[in-house]
């Protein structure tokens, strides 16, 4: 998957294209010994989410795994709390969003060591990281290793995980601040 993304950005359209590409992205990151860190935002996930399972395996394997779980997901609050507990037990760093705001971003950041240095791989999506809803709703997803987008996603995770000031972004816009 890394070669494919390095060869150019990849846009996927759900449900017209399989959500398996997203699941595969996270699963490969969890297995790849060159991956140093995985950071994700989760809003709604399935009860036996393959993405959550991959994140837990990555954390158990010693990778830095940071996950922002939005607890204000109507009808999914209990499931999200259980997910948070499972990820923490596996060794992941779990955050719960920004007080007063609902974190609805669908972001995944994979930090990978490569021959020419560290590279950031990203997935940005409009839908949830949930295979079932991906078959029901029309959503877009972008896989990229664009340096500017990778830096922006990195800055967003720094802000979300440490509550720093809103960063200046190069290619992305952050609502409600941008």
């Amino acid at each position: 998957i890394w070669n494919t993304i390095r060869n150019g950005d990849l846009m996927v359209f759900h449900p017209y294209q399989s959500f398996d590409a997203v699941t595969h992205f996270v699963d490969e990151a969890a297995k790849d010994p060159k991956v140093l860190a995985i950071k994700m935002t989760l809003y709604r996930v399935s009860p036996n989410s393959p993405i959550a399972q991959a994140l837990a395996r990555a954390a158990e394997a010693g990778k830095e795994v940071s996950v922002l779980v939005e607890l204000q997901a109507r009808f999914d609050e209990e499931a999200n709390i259980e997910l948070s507990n499972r990820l923490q037990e596996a060794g992941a760093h779990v955050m719960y969003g920004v007080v007063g705001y609902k974190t609805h971003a669908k972001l995944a950041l994979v930090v990978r060591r490569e021959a020419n240095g560290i590279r950031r791989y990203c997935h940005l999506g409009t839908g949830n990281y949930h295979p079932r809803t991906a078959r029901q709703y029309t959503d877009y997803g972008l896989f990229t290793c664009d340096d500017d987008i990778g830096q922006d996603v990195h800055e967003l995770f720094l802000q979300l995980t440490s509550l720093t000031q809103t960063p200046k972004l190069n290619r992305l816009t952050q609502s409600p601040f941008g």
Side-chain angles (χ1 to χ4, degrees):
I1 195 162
W2 314 122
N3 290 334
T4 301
I5 297 170
R6 271 195 309 275
N7 286 333
D9 293 352
L10 178 66
M11 181 75 89
V12 291
F13 304 93
H14 309 297
Y16 310 107
Q17 293 170 306
S18 173
F19 189 75
D20 290 348
V22 178
T23 304
H24 181 67
F25 176 74
V26 180
D27 190 53
E28 284 299 309
K31 290 190 266 186
D32 187 342
K34 293 181 181 179
V35 168
L36 306 172
I38 305 170
K39 300 178 185 223
M40 285 190 79
T41 59
L42 295 177
Y43 179 71
R44 292 188 198 279
V45 295
S46 59
N48 295 313
S49 167
I51 289 176
Q53 291 172 8
L55 291 170
R57 283 194 314 274
E60 289 166 350
K63 295 181 191 309
E64 178 189 328
V65 177
S66 299
V67 183
L68 185 138
V69 178
E70 180 54 64
L71 295 181
Q72 297 181 57
R74 190 171 44 166
F75 308 120
D76 285 330
E77 290 88 353
E78 186 177 340
N80 284 0
I81 291 169
E82 290 174 17
L83 165 70
S84 298
N85 292 336
R86 285 195 320 265
L87 289 172
Q88 284 179 330
E89 288 169 6
H93 180 69
V94 178
M95 293 75 53
Y96 299 103
V98 178
V99 175
Y101 295 99
K102 191 172 193 175
T103 303
H104 209 271
K106 308 326 181 286
L107 300 171
L109 173 66
V110 173
V111 179
R112 188 169 188 265
R113 177 177 284 127
E114 299 186 352
N116 58 348
I118 301 294
R119 186 180 302 257
R120 295 181 182 118
Y121 292 87
C122 302
H123 174 265
L124 296 82
T126 61
N128 298 310
Y129 287 117
H130 193 304
R132 184 177 45 82
T133 61
R135 292 190 303 265
Q136 296 173 339
Y137 300 103
T138 303
D139 287 300
Y140 304 100
L142 173 69
F143 292 99
T144 186
C145 63
D146 177 89
D147 289 336
D148 287 338
I149 292 174
Q151 181 63 33
D152 283 357
V153 173
H154 171 77
E155 292 293 334
L156 287 172
F157 274 108
L158 282 175
Q159 186 221 357
L160 291 170
T161 59
S162 64
L163 301 178
T164 61
Q165 287 188 339
T166 304
K168 180 183 179 308
L169 303 175
N170 298 306
R171 303 279 303 274
L172 303 180
T173 300
Q174 181 187 20
S175 172
F177 309 113

